[in-house]
mmCIF file of all heavy atoms in Angstrom:
data_model
loop_
_atom_site.group_PDB
_atom_site.id
_atom_site.type_symbol
_atom_site.label_atom_id
_atom_site.label_comp_id
_atom_site.label_asym_id
_atom_site.label_seq_id
_atom_site.Cartn_x
_atom_site.Cartn_y
_atom_site.Cartn_z
ATOM 1 N N SER A 1 -30.596 -5.811 30.504
ATOM 2 C CA SER A 1 -31.405 -6.129 29.336
ATOM 3 C C SER A 1 -32.667 -5.283 29.280
ATOM 4 O O SER A 1 -33.067 -4.662 30.279
ATOM 5 C CB SER A 1 -31.811 -7.618 29.386
ATOM 6 O OG SER A 1 -32.673 -7.853 30.479
ATOM 7 N N GLY A 2 -33.290 -5.283 28.135
ATOM 8 C CA GLY A 2 -34.519 -4.493 27.974
ATOM 9 C C GLY A 2 -35.622 -4.952 28.892
ATOM 10 O O GLY A 2 -36.347 -4.123 29.482
ATOM 11 N N LYS A 3 -35.771 -6.284 29.061
ATOM 12 C CA LYS A 3 -36.846 -6.775 29.915
ATOM 13 C C LYS A 3 -36.589 -6.441 31.384
ATOM 14 O O LYS A 3 -37.517 -6.205 32.149
ATOM 15 C CB LYS A 3 -37.025 -8.294 29.731
ATOM 16 C CG LYS A 3 -35.822 -9.142 30.043
ATOM 17 C CD LYS A 3 -36.096 -10.607 29.722
ATOM 18 C CE LYS A 3 -34.872 -11.473 30.010
ATOM 19 N NZ LYS A 3 -35.130 -12.891 29.687
ATOM 20 N N ARG A 4 -35.283 -6.395 31.756
ATOM 21 C CA ARG A 4 -34.976 -6.001 33.144
ATOM 22 C C ARG A 4 -35.258 -4.520 33.378
ATOM 23 O O ARG A 4 -35.740 -4.130 34.425
ATOM 24 C CB ARG A 4 -33.512 -6.336 33.471
ATOM 25 C CG ARG A 4 -33.173 -6.093 34.944
ATOM 26 C CD ARG A 4 -31.842 -6.707 35.334
ATOM 27 N NE ARG A 4 -31.504 -6.484 36.725
ATOM 28 C CZ ARG A 4 -31.987 -7.176 37.746
ATOM 29 N NH1 ARG A 4 -32.853 -8.175 37.507
ATOM 30 N NH2 ARG A 4 -31.639 -6.913 38.982
ATOM 31 N N LYS A 5 -34.941 -3.700 32.376
ATOM 32 C CA LYS A 5 -35.275 -2.266 32.484
ATOM 33 C C LYS A 5 -36.775 -2.085 32.673
ATOM 34 O O LYS A 5 -37.212 -1.286 33.479
ATOM 35 C CB LYS A 5 -34.836 -1.527 31.224
ATOM 36 C CG LYS A 5 -33.332 -1.489 30.979
ATOM 37 C CD LYS A 5 -33.091 -0.813 29.622
ATOM 38 C CE LYS A 5 -31.658 -0.989 29.156
ATOM 39 N NZ LYS A 5 -31.428 -0.421 27.820
ATOM 40 N N ALA A 6 -37.549 -2.855 31.901
ATOM 41 C CA ALA A 6 -39.014 -2.760 32.005
ATOM 42 C C ALA A 6 -39.480 -3.174 33.394
ATOM 43 O O ALA A 6 -40.357 -2.532 33.977
ATOM 44 C CB ALA A 6 -39.668 -3.646 30.938
ATOM 45 N N ALA A 7 -38.893 -4.242 33.920
ATOM 46 C CA ALA A 7 -39.263 -4.703 35.255
ATOM 47 C C ALA A 7 -38.914 -3.670 36.328
ATOM 48 O O ALA A 7 -39.686 -3.429 37.260
ATOM 49 C CB ALA A 7 -38.574 -6.032 35.552
ATOM 50 N N ILE A 8 -37.741 -3.067 36.185
ATOM 51 C CA ILE A 8 -37.315 -2.031 37.165
ATOM 52 C C ILE A 8 -38.288 -0.866 37.133
ATOM 53 O O ILE A 8 -38.703 -0.334 38.168
ATOM 54 C CB ILE A 8 -35.876 -1.562 36.855
ATOM 55 C CG1 ILE A 8 -34.883 -2.700 37.140
ATOM 56 C CG2 ILE A 8 -35.518 -0.318 37.666
ATOM 57 C CD1 ILE A 8 -33.463 -2.392 36.691
ATOM 58 N N LEU A 9 -38.641 -0.443 35.936
ATOM 59 C CA LEU A 9 -39.571 0.685 35.794
ATOM 60 C C LEU A 9 -40.915 0.364 36.422
ATOM 61 O O LEU A 9 -41.478 1.172 37.163
ATOM 62 C CB LEU A 9 -39.738 1.036 34.321
ATOM 63 C CG LEU A 9 -40.684 2.191 34.032
ATOM 64 C CD1 LEU A 9 -40.117 3.501 34.551
ATOM 65 C CD2 LEU A 9 -40.973 2.305 32.529
ATOM 66 N N LEU A 10 -41.457 -0.819 36.128
ATOM 67 C CA LEU A 10 -42.764 -1.196 36.666
ATOM 68 C C LEU A 10 -42.746 -1.303 38.184
ATOM 69 O O LEU A 10 -43.709 -0.950 38.851
ATOM 70 C CB LEU A 10 -43.223 -2.538 36.043
ATOM 71 C CG LEU A 10 -43.621 -2.491 34.580
ATOM 72 C CD1 LEU A 10 -43.900 -3.891 34.058
ATOM 73 C CD2 LEU A 10 -44.855 -1.611 34.384
ATOM 74 N N ALA A 11 -41.619 -1.766 38.726
ATOM 75 C CA ALA A 11 -41.497 -1.874 40.170
ATOM 76 C C ALA A 11 -41.415 -0.490 40.818
ATOM 77 O O ALA A 11 -41.883 -0.294 41.939
ATOM 78 C CB ALA A 11 -40.258 -2.706 40.529
ATOM 79 N N ALA A 12 -40.839 0.465 40.093
ATOM 80 C CA ALA A 12 -40.592 1.782 40.665
ATOM 81 C C ALA A 12 -41.790 2.717 40.592
ATOM 82 O O ALA A 12 -41.932 3.608 41.432
ATOM 83 C CB ALA A 12 -39.405 2.444 39.951
ATOM 84 N N ILE A 13 -42.664 2.526 39.625
ATOM 85 C CA ILE A 13 -43.746 3.504 39.418
ATOM 86 C C ILE A 13 -44.997 3.198 40.240
ATOM 87 O O ILE A 13 -45.933 4.003 40.243
ATOM 88 C CB ILE A 13 -44.166 3.565 37.928
ATOM 89 C CG1 ILE A 13 -44.637 2.205 37.427
ATOM 90 C CG2 ILE A 13 -42.998 4.079 37.073
ATOM 91 C CD1 ILE A 13 -45.094 2.214 35.970
ATOM 92 N N GLY A 14 -45.034 2.100 40.942
ATOM 93 C CA GLY A 14 -46.196 1.796 41.789
ATOM 94 C C GLY A 14 -47.187 0.875 41.123
ATOM 95 O O GLY A 14 -47.260 0.767 39.905
ATOM 96 N N LYS A 15 -47.989 0.204 41.978
ATOM 97 C CA LYS A 15 -48.885 -0.831 41.488
ATOM 98 C C LYS A 15 -49.967 -0.327 40.533
ATOM 99 O O LYS A 15 -50.240 -0.948 39.507
ATOM 100 C CB LYS A 15 -49.565 -1.539 42.674
ATOM 101 C CG LYS A 15 -48.576 -2.308 43.572
ATOM 102 C CD LYS A 15 -49.325 -2.942 44.725
ATOM 103 C CE LYS A 15 -48.347 -3.719 45.642
ATOM 104 N NZ LYS A 15 -49.049 -4.307 46.797
ATOM 105 N N GLN A 16 -50.596 0.793 40.883
ATOM 106 C CA GLN A 16 -51.710 1.255 40.058
ATOM 107 C C GLN A 16 -51.268 1.642 38.646
ATOM 108 O O GLN A 16 -51.878 1.246 37.641
ATOM 109 C CB GLN A 16 -52.378 2.460 40.714
ATOM 110 C CG GLN A 16 -53.169 2.082 41.987
ATOM 111 C CD GLN A 16 -53.960 3.254 42.526
ATOM 112 O OE1 GLN A 16 -53.713 4.405 42.178
ATOM 113 N NE2 GLN A 16 -54.933 2.960 43.386
ATOM 114 N N THR A 17 -50.179 2.386 38.562
ATOM 115 C CA THR A 17 -49.672 2.792 37.252
ATOM 116 C C THR A 17 -49.164 1.576 36.470
ATOM 117 O O THR A 17 -49.385 1.438 35.277
ATOM 118 C CB THR A 17 -48.545 3.832 37.388
ATOM 119 O OG1 THR A 17 -48.999 4.911 38.193
ATOM 120 C CG2 THR A 17 -48.122 4.364 36.030
ATOM 121 N N ALA A 18 -48.456 0.678 37.185
ATOM 122 C CA ALA A 18 -47.951 -0.530 36.532
ATOM 123 C C ALA A 18 -49.094 -1.377 35.991
ATOM 124 O O ALA A 18 -48.992 -1.978 34.916
ATOM 125 C CB ALA A 18 -47.119 -1.345 37.533
ATOM 126 N N ALA A 19 -50.216 -1.414 36.729
ATOM 127 C CA ALA A 19 -51.361 -2.188 36.291
ATOM 128 C C ALA A 19 -51.929 -1.662 34.969
ATOM 129 O O ALA A 19 -52.342 -2.428 34.089
ATOM 130 C CB ALA A 19 -52.463 -2.179 37.355
ATOM 131 N N GLN A 20 -51.928 -0.330 34.816
ATOM 132 C CA GLN A 20 -52.392 0.263 33.563
ATOM 133 C C GLN A 20 -51.501 -0.110 32.390
ATOM 134 O O GLN A 20 -51.974 -0.323 31.279
ATOM 135 C CB GLN A 20 -52.474 1.804 33.725
ATOM 136 C CG GLN A 20 -53.512 2.269 34.728
ATOM 137 C CD GLN A 20 -54.911 1.775 34.406
ATOM 138 O OE1 GLN A 20 -55.364 1.883 33.262
ATOM 139 N NE2 GLN A 20 -55.601 1.227 35.402
ATOM 140 N N ILE A 21 -50.189 -0.160 32.662
ATOM 141 C CA ILE A 21 -49.237 -0.535 31.613
ATOM 142 C C ILE A 21 -49.428 -2.001 31.244
ATOM 143 O O ILE A 21 -49.374 -2.368 30.071
ATOM 144 C CB ILE A 21 -47.803 -0.255 32.066
ATOM 145 C CG1 ILE A 21 -47.580 1.262 32.206
ATOM 146 C CG2 ILE A 21 -46.795 -0.841 31.086
ATOM 147 C CD1 ILE A 21 -46.204 1.649 32.701
ATOM 148 N N TYR A 22 -49.655 -2.837 32.260
ATOM 149 C CA TYR A 22 -49.869 -4.273 32.021
ATOM 150 C C TYR A 22 -51.014 -4.520 31.040
ATOM 151 O O TYR A 22 -50.969 -5.446 30.224
ATOM 152 C CB TYR A 22 -50.165 -4.989 33.343
ATOM 153 C CG TYR A 22 -49.000 -5.772 33.895
ATOM 154 C CD1 TYR A 22 -48.223 -5.269 34.943
ATOM 155 C CD2 TYR A 22 -48.670 -7.019 33.377
ATOM 156 C CE1 TYR A 22 -47.156 -5.974 35.449
ATOM 157 C CE2 TYR A 22 -47.609 -7.744 33.880
ATOM 158 C CZ TYR A 22 -46.855 -7.229 34.911
ATOM 159 O OH TYR A 22 -45.794 -7.928 35.416
ATOM 160 N N LYS A 23 -52.033 -3.649 31.099
ATOM 161 C CA LYS A 23 -53.195 -3.829 30.231
ATOM 162 C C LYS A 23 -52.836 -3.650 28.751
ATOM 163 O O LYS A 23 -53.550 -4.122 27.870
ATOM 164 C CB LYS A 23 -54.282 -2.814 30.609
ATOM 165 C CG LYS A 23 -54.908 -3.086 31.966
ATOM 166 C CD LYS A 23 -55.958 -2.014 32.289
ATOM 167 C CE LYS A 23 -56.562 -2.232 33.670
ATOM 168 N NZ LYS A 23 -57.560 -1.185 34.007
ATOM 169 N N GLN A 24 -51.737 -2.961 28.486
ATOM 170 C CA GLN A 24 -51.330 -2.683 27.090
ATOM 171 C C GLN A 24 -50.392 -3.753 26.542
ATOM 172 O O GLN A 24 -50.034 -3.717 25.382
ATOM 173 C CB GLN A 24 -50.633 -1.321 27.000
ATOM 174 C CG GLN A 24 -51.377 -0.180 27.673
ATOM 175 C CD GLN A 24 -52.764 0.023 27.103
ATOM 176 O OE1 GLN A 24 -52.962 -0.040 25.897
ATOM 177 N NE2 GLN A 24 -53.748 0.268 27.966
ATOM 178 N N LEU A 25 -49.984 -4.719 27.382
ATOM 179 C CA LEU A 25 -49.027 -5.714 26.966
ATOM 180 C C LEU A 25 -49.697 -6.972 26.427
ATOM 181 O O LEU A 25 -50.821 -7.292 26.798
ATOM 182 C CB LEU A 25 -48.113 -6.096 28.152
ATOM 183 C CG LEU A 25 -47.357 -4.969 28.852
ATOM 184 C CD1 LEU A 25 -46.521 -5.524 29.997
ATOM 185 C CD2 LEU A 25 -46.442 -4.235 27.858
ATOM 186 N N SER A 26 -48.976 -7.679 25.555
ATOM 187 C CA SER A 26 -49.477 -8.961 25.053
ATOM 188 C C SER A 26 -49.243 -10.020 26.132
ATOM 189 O O SER A 26 -48.552 -9.794 27.126
ATOM 190 C CB SER A 26 -48.727 -9.356 23.789
ATOM 191 O OG SER A 26 -47.353 -9.591 24.079
ATOM 192 N N GLU A 27 -49.826 -11.199 25.925
ATOM 193 C CA GLU A 27 -49.673 -12.289 26.899
ATOM 194 C C GLU A 27 -48.214 -12.653 27.122
ATOM 195 O O GLU A 27 -47.755 -12.830 28.264
ATOM 196 C CB GLU A 27 -50.445 -13.525 26.432
ATOM 197 C CG GLU A 27 -51.879 -13.550 26.911
ATOM 198 C CD GLU A 27 -52.562 -14.875 26.600
ATOM 199 O OE1 GLU A 27 -51.913 -15.935 26.776
ATOM 200 O OE2 GLU A 27 -53.710 -14.847 26.159
ATOM 201 N N SER A 28 -47.488 -12.774 26.020
ATOM 202 C CA SER A 28 -46.070 -13.158 26.131
ATOM 203 C C SER A 28 -45.265 -12.076 26.845
ATOM 204 O O SER A 28 -44.359 -12.384 27.636
ATOM 205 C CB SER A 28 -45.480 -13.431 24.750
ATOM 206 O OG SER A 28 -45.545 -12.269 23.951
ATOM 207 N N GLU A 29 -45.590 -10.796 26.581
ATOM 208 C CA GLU A 29 -44.897 -9.696 27.251
ATOM 209 C C GLU A 29 -45.192 -9.688 28.733
ATOM 210 O O GLU A 29 -44.301 -9.456 29.570
ATOM 211 C CB GLU A 29 -45.304 -8.367 26.613
ATOM 212 C CG GLU A 29 -44.738 -8.167 25.216
ATOM 213 C CD GLU A 29 -45.335 -6.979 24.494
ATOM 214 O OE1 GLU A 29 -46.454 -6.568 24.858
ATOM 215 O OE2 GLU A 29 -44.680 -6.451 23.573
ATOM 216 N N VAL A 30 -46.468 -9.940 29.093
ATOM 217 C CA VAL A 30 -46.839 -9.999 30.512
ATOM 218 C C VAL A 30 -46.054 -11.094 31.219
ATOM 219 O O VAL A 30 -45.526 -10.917 32.309
ATOM 220 C CB VAL A 30 -48.357 -10.244 30.653
ATOM 221 C CG1 VAL A 30 -48.702 -10.613 32.086
ATOM 222 C CG2 VAL A 30 -49.136 -9.012 30.228
ATOM 223 N N GLU A 31 -45.996 -12.267 30.560
ATOM 224 C CA GLU A 31 -45.276 -13.405 31.159
ATOM 225 C C GLU A 31 -43.794 -13.091 31.346
ATOM 226 O O GLU A 31 -43.214 -13.346 32.409
ATOM 227 C CB GLU A 31 -45.447 -14.620 30.266
ATOM 228 C CG GLU A 31 -44.807 -15.889 30.847
ATOM 229 C CD GLU A 31 -45.037 -17.088 29.943
ATOM 230 O OE1 GLU A 31 -46.001 -17.080 29.167
ATOM 231 O OE2 GLU A 31 -44.233 -18.044 30.050
ATOM 232 N N THR A 32 -43.173 -12.490 30.315
ATOM 233 C CA THR A 32 -41.745 -12.169 30.380
ATOM 234 C C THR A 32 -41.436 -11.175 31.478
ATOM 235 O O THR A 32 -40.518 -11.356 32.289
ATOM 236 C CB THR A 32 -41.267 -11.618 29.021
ATOM 237 O OG1 THR A 32 -41.480 -12.606 28.018
ATOM 238 C CG2 THR A 32 -39.787 -11.257 29.070
ATOM 239 N N VAL A 33 -42.214 -10.095 31.512
ATOM 240 C CA VAL A 33 -41.961 -9.021 32.489
ATOM 241 C C VAL A 33 -42.255 -9.521 33.910
ATOM 242 O O VAL A 33 -41.524 -9.192 34.857
ATOM 243 C CB VAL A 33 -42.801 -7.784 32.165
ATOM 244 C CG1 VAL A 33 -42.680 -6.738 33.274
ATOM 245 C CG2 VAL A 33 -42.356 -7.155 30.854
ATOM 246 N N THR A 34 -43.302 -10.319 34.070
ATOM 247 C CA THR A 34 -43.652 -10.841 35.391
ATOM 248 C C THR A 34 -42.546 -11.731 35.934
ATOM 249 O O THR A 34 -42.189 -11.661 37.123
ATOM 250 C CB THR A 34 -44.979 -11.623 35.321
ATOM 251 O OG1 THR A 34 -46.001 -10.754 34.850
ATOM 252 C CG2 THR A 34 -45.369 -12.125 36.706
ATOM 253 N N MET A 35 -42.001 -12.579 35.082
ATOM 254 C CA MET A 35 -40.888 -13.436 35.506
ATOM 255 C C MET A 35 -39.691 -12.600 35.931
ATOM 256 O O MET A 35 -39.028 -12.885 36.926
ATOM 257 C CB MET A 35 -40.490 -14.386 34.374
ATOM 258 C CG MET A 35 -41.498 -15.491 34.101
ATOM 259 S SD MET A 35 -41.622 -16.653 35.472
ATOM 260 C CE MET A 35 -40.003 -17.405 35.406
ATOM 261 N N GLU A 36 -39.443 -11.538 35.188
ATOM 262 C CA GLU A 36 -38.326 -10.664 35.505
ATOM 263 C C GLU A 36 -38.578 -9.927 36.818
ATOM 264 O O GLU A 36 -37.666 -9.763 37.647
ATOM 265 C CB GLU A 36 -38.107 -9.649 34.371
ATOM 266 C CG GLU A 36 -36.767 -8.957 34.397
ATOM 267 C CD GLU A 36 -35.589 -9.895 34.163
ATOM 268 O OE1 GLU A 36 -35.743 -10.875 33.420
ATOM 269 O OE2 GLU A 36 -34.516 -9.640 34.735
ATOM 270 N N LEU A 37 -39.816 -9.483 37.028
ATOM 271 C CA LEU A 37 -40.171 -8.816 38.290
ATOM 272 C C LEU A 37 -39.988 -9.739 39.474
ATOM 273 O O LEU A 37 -39.495 -9.325 40.534
ATOM 274 C CB LEU A 37 -41.630 -8.340 38.230
ATOM 275 C CG LEU A 37 -41.892 -6.939 37.690
ATOM 276 C CD1 LEU A 37 -43.388 -6.720 37.474
ATOM 277 C CD2 LEU A 37 -41.354 -5.881 38.639
ATOM 278 N N ALA A 38 -40.397 -10.987 39.286
ATOM 279 C CA ALA A 38 -40.320 -11.962 40.390
ATOM 280 C C ALA A 38 -38.873 -12.210 40.815
ATOM 281 O O ALA A 38 -38.591 -12.520 41.962
ATOM 282 C CB ALA A 38 -40.975 -13.267 39.978
ATOM 283 N N ASN A 39 -37.954 -12.076 39.878
ATOM 284 C CA ASN A 39 -36.541 -12.328 40.171
ATOM 285 C C ASN A 39 -35.712 -11.055 40.272
ATOM 286 O O ASN A 39 -34.488 -11.103 40.216
ATOM 287 C CB ASN A 39 -35.947 -13.224 39.058
ATOM 288 C CG ASN A 39 -36.577 -14.584 39.009
ATOM 289 O OD1 ASN A 39 -36.466 -15.362 39.945
ATOM 290 N ND2 ASN A 39 -37.274 -14.878 37.920
ATOM 291 N N LEU A 40 -36.392 -9.921 40.445
ATOM 292 C CA LEU A 40 -35.695 -8.634 40.401
ATOM 293 C C LEU A 40 -34.772 -8.414 41.598
ATOM 294 O O LEU A 40 -33.629 -8.006 41.450
ATOM 295 C CB LEU A 40 -36.733 -7.497 40.325
ATOM 296 C CG LEU A 40 -36.222 -6.130 39.925
ATOM 297 C CD1 LEU A 40 -35.493 -6.198 38.569
ATOM 298 C CD2 LEU A 40 -37.380 -5.129 39.854
ATOM 299 N N GLY A 41 -35.264 -8.673 42.782
ATOM 300 C CA GLY A 41 -34.440 -8.453 43.976
ATOM 301 C C GLY A 41 -34.235 -6.966 44.244
ATOM 302 O O GLY A 41 -34.965 -6.095 43.740
ATOM 303 N N LYS A 42 -33.221 -6.642 45.005
ATOM 304 C CA LYS A 42 -32.948 -5.238 45.372
ATOM 305 C C LYS A 42 -32.205 -4.547 44.246
ATOM 306 O O LYS A 42 -31.247 -5.078 43.675
ATOM 307 C CB LYS A 42 -32.113 -5.196 46.652
ATOM 308 C CG LYS A 42 -31.931 -3.773 47.196
ATOM 309 C CD LYS A 42 -31.177 -3.810 48.528
ATOM 310 C CE LYS A 42 -31.012 -2.399 49.067
ATOM 311 N NZ LYS A 42 -30.286 -2.407 50.361
ATOM 312 N N VAL A 43 -32.636 -3.330 43.907
ATOM 313 C CA VAL A 43 -32.043 -2.573 42.805
ATOM 314 C C VAL A 43 -31.427 -1.302 43.355
ATOM 315 O O VAL A 43 -32.027 -0.584 44.145
ATOM 316 C CB VAL A 43 -33.084 -2.218 41.729
ATOM 317 C CG1 VAL A 43 -32.442 -1.440 40.586
ATOM 318 C CG2 VAL A 43 -33.767 -3.476 41.206
ATOM 319 N N ASP A 44 -30.217 -1.015 42.928
ATOM 320 C CA ASP A 44 -29.524 0.194 43.360
ATOM 321 C C ASP A 44 -30.320 1.433 42.945
ATOM 322 O O ASP A 44 -30.776 1.520 41.808
ATOM 323 C CB ASP A 44 -28.126 0.225 42.728
ATOM 324 C CG ASP A 44 -27.309 1.395 43.243
ATOM 325 O OD1 ASP A 44 -27.453 2.501 42.676
ATOM 326 O OD2 ASP A 44 -26.538 1.196 44.191
ATOM 327 N N PRO A 45 -30.491 2.428 43.860
ATOM 328 C CA PRO A 45 -31.229 3.647 43.523
ATOM 329 C C PRO A 45 -30.667 4.361 42.298
ATOM 330 O O PRO A 45 -31.431 4.988 41.537
ATOM 331 C CB PRO A 45 -31.071 4.505 44.788
ATOM 332 C CG PRO A 45 -30.844 3.523 45.896
ATOM 333 C CD PRO A 45 -30.062 2.405 45.275
ATOM 334 N N GLY A 46 -29.375 4.288 42.112
ATOM 335 C CA GLY A 46 -28.773 4.942 40.942
ATOM 336 C C GLY A 46 -29.253 4.311 39.643
ATOM 337 O O GLY A 46 -29.445 5.016 38.631
ATOM 338 N N ILE A 47 -29.402 3.002 39.664
ATOM 339 C CA ILE A 47 -29.920 2.296 38.482
ATOM 340 C C ILE A 47 -31.359 2.709 38.189
ATOM 341 O O ILE A 47 -31.747 2.924 37.037
ATOM 342 C CB ILE A 47 -29.834 0.762 38.666
ATOM 343 C CG1 ILE A 47 -28.384 0.311 38.765
ATOM 344 C CG2 ILE A 47 -30.538 0.027 37.534
ATOM 345 C CD1 ILE A 47 -27.605 0.486 37.474
ATOM 346 N N ILE A 48 -32.161 2.840 39.252
ATOM 347 C CA ILE A 48 -33.563 3.266 39.091
ATOM 348 C C ILE A 48 -33.614 4.636 38.463
ATOM 349 O O ILE A 48 -34.404 4.888 37.543
ATOM 350 C CB ILE A 48 -34.306 3.253 40.450
ATOM 351 C CG1 ILE A 48 -34.372 1.800 40.992
ATOM 352 C CG2 ILE A 48 -35.704 3.809 40.282
ATOM 353 C CD1 ILE A 48 -35.002 1.703 42.365
#
């Protein structure tokens, strides 16, 4: 899904860069992506 792609990207680019992206998101978007990040688990390198 789109929200899972977003979570994978944020997890892969590092905390500092991800934090800058978070600043551009709405409250609902932050909540959605954060929930997805929390449940992301291990991701295959090919998917990343």
Side-chain angles (χ1 to χ4, degrees):
S1 66
K3 59 184 179 181
R4 186 167 180 81
K5 295 176 193 176
I8 292 172
L9 179 66
L10 289 174
I13 60 179
K15 294 179 181 178
Q16 289 187 343
T17 307
Q20 294 303 312
I21 293 177
Y22 257 101
K23 292 178 182 179
Q24 310 302 317
L25 304 180
S26 65
E27 271 188 41
S28 61
E29 289 170 337
V30 168
E31 184 178 337
T32 299
V33 173
T34 301
M35 288 294 293
E36 196 66 32
L37 270 171
N39 295 296
L40 195 57
K42 187 175 180 180
V43 181
D44 185 275
I47 294 293
I48 296 176

